[in-house]
Amino acid sequence: MSTSAGRKPRTDAERNRSRVLQVAGELFAARGDAVQMADVAKAAGVGIGTVYRHFPTRQALVAAVAEERFAGILRHAREECLSLPDTRQALVGFLDAIGRTHEAGRGVSGAIEATFGNTEPSGEVGAQLLDIGEQLLARGQADGTVRGDAGVSDLYMIAGAVAALSRNAVGDWRRFIDLALDGLRPQR
Amino acid sequence: MSTSAGRKPRTDAERNRSRVLQVAGELFAARGDAVQMADVAKAAGVGIGTVYRHFPTRQALVAAVAEERFAGILRHAREECLSLPDTRQALVGFLDAIGRTHEAGRGVSGAIEATFGNTEPSGEVGAQLLDIGEQLLARGQADGTVRGDAGVSDLYMIAGAVAALSRNAVGDWRRFIDLALDGLRPQR
Amino acid sequence: MSTSAGRKPRTDAERNRSRVLQVAGELFAARGDAVQMADVAKAAGVGIGTVYRHFPTRQALVAAVAEERFAGILRHAREECLSLPDTRQALVGFLDAIGRTHEAGRGVSGAIEATFGNTEPSGEVGAQLLDIGEQLLARGQADGTVRGDAGVSDLYMIAGAVAALSRNAVGDWRRFIDLALDGLRPQR
Amino acid sequence: MSTSAGRKPRTDAERNRSRVLQVAGELFAARGDAVQMADVAKAAGVGIGTVYRHFPTRQALVAAVAEERFAGILRHAREECLSLPDTRQALVGFLDAIGRTHEAGRGVSGAIEATFGNTEPSGEVGAQLLDIGEQLLARGQADGTVRGDAGVSDLYMIAGAVAALSRNAVGDWRRFIDLALDGLRPQR
DNA sequence: GATGAATGAGCATTCATTCAT
DNA sequence: CATGAATGAATGCTCATTCAT
């Protein structure tokens, strides 16, 4: 009742924020870094001032889009991969999510790269992603699927490579995942 | 004698061209894509018109810088790596050259990426690079160091990954080379 | 009351637009095509971005100035000439308006010419101008003042000639009007 | 003998000058004012320095092209028109030459206009052109074909009008010549 | 005389960000 | 809170002209 009353509730602002965020994601995906703040505003059906209210800077907007992307990957990893009994399959699923995301959102990656100089995850989500990697790696070492001297940084690099390859359309990144994970197995 | 006699305008022009090219490389390395044509001119000690005489477009300048980079890698691969008796070492040397180049010239990569959307070699130099990869791979398969189902595209992807990791300072790319090459070995 | 209440951003924008347009007209008149967008902005007391907001291109600005000019002529023709009982006088008045406009705005014509390659009216205003010419001609033919084989295109040419002569200060264009209209009379 | 000897005679320079002049005329005709000095040099097969040796300024080059044009008209008027027994025909021939020249060399007119603000003849050639006009007019007044109050300035204006109409493709300028000359006849 | 490389002021246009309403 | 007009620094590129060789 009180919520639906005459005054514009907090919800409206929130709705605008996510609207802008979503639209921005689509635009970046479609046009890469060549997206202007005004474009985002128009596509979202709001004034440009509103965009700036929620994202004080173009950088902030790009960062938000980037974070959402990683959140999606994180969610997928948690819900789909962690539960897989076969460690290798879990790793493949994890990396595959990264690949698919970057492949589908090349333009987004371009914008992020142009803005921050790299495409790596950061902040809370980044930490949790790293954590998942650690778990997977530990499991693999426990069941003998992953070489003992492998560290998260190794997996992190592989993930970075998958991201780069898929977003740049450099060959068959799924094949690369296999290759790289083979390199991560215990060597004779 | 011959030097002063032969000094024709043409010589000066060529000198200017390489001067500009070199300076541009350094500036891009230092500041990435945030380098203006006027900066290059000033740093090279020539008028901006001269820069444009040799490189009719900013794109053209970036392309020239990029090509020179790959030419350097190609030269290194030919002179230093191809002759190494141990195939693995040759491959490492090859990939290492890529890694070092990209690590040292991060800004350059940024400029190239910002300009062309990717950092891959192309044209004649690109083809020759690919050719070297093919030779190395063949050798490795002949001496049993490389898995039989490996193709150049696999090596190409690894090279791309090394480039991406080194220029983005994502972990220890030398370690990655080892990992990836392990993945390229014949698997049990 | 209503004025201050109704004053919305839109009003300001409109004010700016006409301010820019008017100032641009004056500058073009004074300096011909040698007027930079920045000059216009400064003279109008607005930022250069504002000029571009209203006229996305220099061409667009020139076109707007040109159209306004023809609109002025059209207005004059309608209000002052069409009502004159003497057809010859009406024609003279019409052509005179063209002459005066081009004489006063020589620089403007230069800019238009430099931008579009010609100085002819076009679009809606051009069509209406043509229409008035047709009316005048018909009237003249009805009252025996204008030769029967005369068409609008003839009048159009005369108008074009008047414009050219007056803006280039080639002799006494008022005299030319008389001469030309004499040529348009029924010949023995 | 001496002329054909080893040293480059004055003739060479002269040859270059006319080569440049001719080529410039063609280029201006084809592309209007959008012709660069370097284009002219290249098309003439000489260095840009040579162009500047003969025409110290772009303006000078344009002026030379313009003069040549009028010289052509003058020649035509003298050789073809002056001898015609019928004065009206002579006048038509004169104006027709102007019309044809401007129609064929629209681009040239554009360049001249852009450079000097008008397309009128000047200097010696201009004076002689005027002189011919005077002769024709006198003849016409003598044989009763031209109104007594007509002056050269009237013919000059008509010529200017023909030039403007033909170069701007505003209607049928041959028809205009007829109309204007009718206006120049003795009026009842 | 001829050549053409070098020069650099000049200019249109873009776009992130601010702020009055 | 929302709006969108205004801002102006930033930037790639052109082209007439000069001058060393």
Side-chain angles (χ1 to χ4, degrees), chain B residues 29-59:
Chain B
R31 294 191 235 151
D33 196 48
V35 172
Q36 301 167 222
M37 294 302 268
D39 295 340
V40 176
K42 186 167 295 179
V46 301
I48 198 177
T50 301
V51 175
Y52 275 94
R53 162 170 284 269
H54 295 295
F55 305 96
T57 285
R58 191 180 191 276
Q59 255 196 51

Side-chain angles (χ1 to χ4, degrees), chain C residues 26-35 58 106-111:
Chain C
E26 291 166 4
L27 286 183
F28 280 129
R31 292 191 237 151
D33 197 47
V35 172
R58 191 181 192 276
R106 271 182 234 183
V108 178
S109 300

Side-chain angles (χ1 to χ4, degrees), chain B residues 1 11 34 41-42 50 62 64 77 102-103 128 142 156 160:
Chain B
M1 240 191 282
T11 309
K42 186 167 295 179
T50 301
V62 175
H102 281 82
E103 185 174 54
Q128 294 183 302
Y156 193 79

Side-chain angles (χ1 to χ4, degrees), chain C residues 12 15-27 31 35-48 50-52 54-55 61:
Chain C
D12 269 26
R15 200 167 298 169
N16 269 339
R17 198 199 119 97
S18 44
R19 177 87 148 294
V20 167
L21 192 54
Q22 178 202 271
V23 163
E26 291 166 4
L27 286 183
R31 292 191 237 151
V35 172
Q36 300 167 223
M37 294 302 268
D39 294 340
V40 176
K42 185 167 296 178
V46 301
I48 197 177
T50 302
V51 175
Y52 274 93
H54 295 295
F55 306 96
L61 178 57

Side-chain angles (χ1 to χ4, degrees), chain A residues 112-125:
Chain A
I112 298 175
E113 172 104 36
T115 306
F116 298 103
N118 67 69
T119 321
E120 294 161 57
S122 65
E124 181 57 19
V125 177

